Amino acid sequence: MSKAEKDAQQETIPADIAAMSFEAALKALDEIVARLEGGRVDLEESIALYGRGALLKRHCEAKLKAAEEKIEKIVVGADGQAAGTQPFKAD
């Protein structure tokens, strides 16, 4: 994803969500799912909760992607010693 795409994506996420840590956003998302699954929310509130949940999900995914980009895989040389690092690539 290019910087322009990242910037555009971040623009659509409200400031209160963008300021959340991964853990806080995931907890908020879990709470929304529990409320929706409980079936005691009226239609309008369900729609609003679903929309907020989608934004929280996207924020969590962006946080995970950013963390993944920071992880480096240690490369072991033929002698069994660490020979350096290379970018991590998820399988």
Side-chain angles (χ1 to χ4, degrees):
M1 180 180 298
S2 72
K3 181 173 176 4
E5 290 171 324
K6 286 180 187 177
D7 290 344
Q9 186 179 35
Q10 282 301 102
E11 287 177 21
T12 62
I13 295 185
D16 66 319
I17 292 176
M20 289 180 167
S21 67
F22 173 81
E23 293 79 10
L26 187 59
K27 181 180 179 192
L29 182 56
D30 284 341
E31 290 169 358
I32 287 173
V33 170
R35 288 187 66 196
L36 290 172
E37 287 179 343
R40 296 185 182 161
V41 182
D42 64 29
L43 179 61
E44 292 300 317
E45 188 176 1
S46 292
I47 293 168
L49 285 171
Y50 183 86
R52 184 162 175 85
L55 292 170
L56 286 163
K57 177 184 174 281
R58 191 166 57 194
H59 177 66
C60 287
E61 288 171 342
K63 288 281 194 179
L64 287 173
K65 179 74 174 165
E68 181 181 282
E69 290 172 356
K70 292 179 184 177
I71 296 173
E72 290 186 327
K73 181 176 153 185
I74 297 173
V75 178
V76 178
D79 61 356
Q81 299 297 313
T85 62
Q86 67 184 24
F88 174 79
K89 296 204 188 238
D91 295 328

